[in-house]
Amino acid sequence: MYCCQKFSLKSLIRFKDVQVIDTKKREVSQQFIATANRFNLNYFKDVLVNSIYDQHIIVFDNNTTENKADKSNIKTALVYYSESFDGECDLTPIYDLPSIETLYINNQTKGSIDIGYYYPMPNLRRLSICAWEFNLDILQSLKYLKMESEMLCEFRCFELIKFKSLEELVFKSYMVNHLQMDQLPISLTYLSIKLMDIPYPNSFVSCKSLEKLKICIDDSEFEEEDVEQLSIDLAGLPNLKSFKFMEEDSSDNLIDYCFEISLPPSIKILKIFTNHVQIPSKYPMPLLERLYVDQSLLSEGKVNLSSSPSIKKLSLSTCYHPIRANTIPSVEKLTIDKPLDFRIFGQVVFPPTLTHLSIKGNHYESFKLPESLIKLNQTIKIPPLSLPQHLRQLDWKIKDTNNFVFPSSYPPHLETVNLIYLDAADFKIDIPPITKYLSIILNPNSSTQSHLLFSISNRITKPSDQSKLWLPFNTTNLTVDLWCKLDFSKKLAFRLDEVINHTNVRYLSISDTLKFSIQRLDPENKSVLVLERQTLTGGIITQRKSINNQQQYDPIYLFMNKGSSSCSKFEFNWSFEPLL
């Protein structure tokens, strides 16, 4: 009895969030490969197997492979046909998985795939497919469908109206046209579609359950006779809460046109990334909370906020003109995209409710910051004399780094500081003492024939007293971006020992790829546990005294790759050996 309980408990131990399938790319996860290839202890391999016990992969190439013998409990599967595969694109192996609920298909060949034709797969709930050409038979149980193809066909060819249980439908690519009424399943709650032409005005009126809708249109083929009276009727969708409308880059099409879009009063999130849209004022939006629009839509009255007292977030894109004093409503969060170096803030009046302000674009303009801010993101040349005293997060893009210094006083609760240097110059900074989360860019300290060396000492002002930390004691989370001018021919080397011995950093992220936890196991930092948290790999580093200076430890170099297609971004190793 005891042995059975012990065996059962062992089989339940798993790693959290370990997936063998990269669901975005529909391929084997590079994170998983890095994890699986580094474990040598059988116990950890058992835990890894437990973590993916219900996932299955079949790769069709010159040497077709499968990753699992036991197929009784498979819930998620990936079928991948490589470009080198010259056989028939056959899904027969999947039919041996009666319990499958989620299926990813990535066909890099020109072959066609028939899905659900020979076997209905009654438990299939989610299907994601990328293929040159495919045919869908009736999959009665399907609730989620994502499709991507380079083929263009009429929408009716998919006969999606027969999918009675379908709730989420995503077209990842421009692959359909001629969308008309009664071609969409009425059960849909989420639809994301990319169209090569103008949909009929009533194309969506039957989707009464729709809660979230995204429409992207390629207008490159529009003709004058196509755009006389354009409209999309959504007013009769009582459950629609989120709507996004955008166009593909239309710089080559000079035809003047405007979509008149009617919206229901239930709308809460509205995103319109084009100036070819008008929301008539006779369609009020009393529940609207978040609005993302081109500046021209507000300034020209194509979107009216007089009926939207609940709005909390406003994002204005392509801001070329001065923002009038009455433009900004009583929002909490405001984003302004300023792509050109025009002065637009001369008349602006920020509401007293504003707590989050983000100014996008690398074009600097000075203006008075509202005292109500708790989060600020902007481009600067010269830091202001003071910052809002309630500020908790500061994201600065620094345009002129010559003699850059922080303001003389810091907000008392400034916990997060993210610094981006637009010229990537060599200069050193002092960090506010309250900072907990710090993000900085590093330039190479030096270069060898095979490596670029990076060090935080190249950016941080070190104290004259060597016993003091280089960063504030409060700084426990550090993110460094290694700026290397896309030089992929060399490996990157980072001085890990500086972070271990001269900071109190416990969580280190490098170029948004590797994410380490650092645990010092003794007061002298002689033994340090360093673990890459995504791949669950790492180990204990036992530091060794320098021969030249017994009071210091030898350097520890963390070696990694960046951007090379032949190497996994999760590959790394550390060494005491000097660079060659």
Side-chain angles (χ1 to χ4, degrees), residues 15 36 38-50:
F15 291 127
R38 289 181 181 164
F39 281 112
N40 295 318
L41 298 177
N42 289 331
Y43 178 78
F44 284 100
K45 289 185 177 180
D46 290 341
V47 175
L48 190 63
V49 171
N50 292 341

Side-chain angles (χ1 to χ4, degrees), residues 91-109:
L91 290 179
T92 301
I94 293 297
Y95 303 150
D96 295 332
L97 310 176
S99 58
I100 187 171
E101 297 177 357
T102 302
L103 175 60
Y104 298 92
I105 301 174
N106 191 345
N107 183 9
Q108 298 297 310
T109 74

Side-chain angles (χ1 to χ4, degrees), residues 417-430:
V417 176
N418 300 323
L419 303 177
I420 298 176
Y421 327 111
L422 298 180
D423 56 5
D426 291 320
F427 76 105
K428 297 183 183 294
I429 54 176
D430 296 305

Side-chain angles (χ1 to χ4, degrees), residues 18-160:
V18 172
Q19 300 292 326
V20 70
I21 299 172
D22 185 330
T23 58
K24 291 184 178 180
K25 296 182 178 180
R26 302 184 189 91
E27 62 185 25
V28 182
S29 167
Q30 292 298 314
Q31 178 181 342
F32 172 78
I33 292 175
T35 305
N37 290 341
R38 289 181 181 164
F39 281 112
N40 295 318
L41 298 177
N42 289 331
Y43 178 78
F44 284 100
K45 289 185 177 180
D46 290 341
V47 175
L48 190 63
V49 171
N50 292 341
S51 304
I52 59 168
Y53 76 101
D54 60 349
Q55 302 169 42
H56 186 68
I57 290 180
I58 307 174
V59 177
F60 289 92
D61 52 20
N62 293 330
N63 298 295
T64 300
T65 58
E66 295 190 50
N67 72 312
K68 189 176 177 70
D70 180 10
K71 301 179 180 180
S72 59
N73 293 311
I74 296 299
K75 303 294 184 185
T76 304
L78 165 68
V79 180
Y80 183 90
Y81 300 91
S82 72
E83 294 182 0
S84 62
F85 182 69
D86 56 4
E88 181 181 354
C89 297
D90 188 358
L91 290 179
T92 301
I94 293 297
Y95 303 150
D96 295 332
L97 310 176
S99 58
I100 187 171
E101 297 177 357
T102 302
L103 175 60
Y104 298 92
I105 301 174
N106 191 345
N107 183 9
Q108 298 297 310
T109 74
K110 298 292 185 180
S112 178
I113 297 180
D114 293 317
I115 306 167
Y117 182 77
Y118 297 103
Y119 189 79
M121 292 182 282
N123 293 310
L124 189 65
R125 299 291 184 270
R126 298 174 61 85
L127 172 62
S128 177
I129 179 170
C130 176
W132 177 262
E133 185 177 2
F134 54 86
N135 299 308
L136 296 175
D137 199 12
I138 301 175
L139 301 172
Q140 298 287 357
S141 60
L142 205 62
K143 293 185 177 296
Y144 173 91
L145 175 59
K146 182 176 181 179
M147 297 183 286
E148 183 174 0
S149 174
E150 296 183 23
M151 294 287 289
L152 177 65
C153 62
E154 293 191 9
F155 194 92
R156 60 180 176 84
C157 296
F158 288 103
E159 297 184 316
L160 294 176

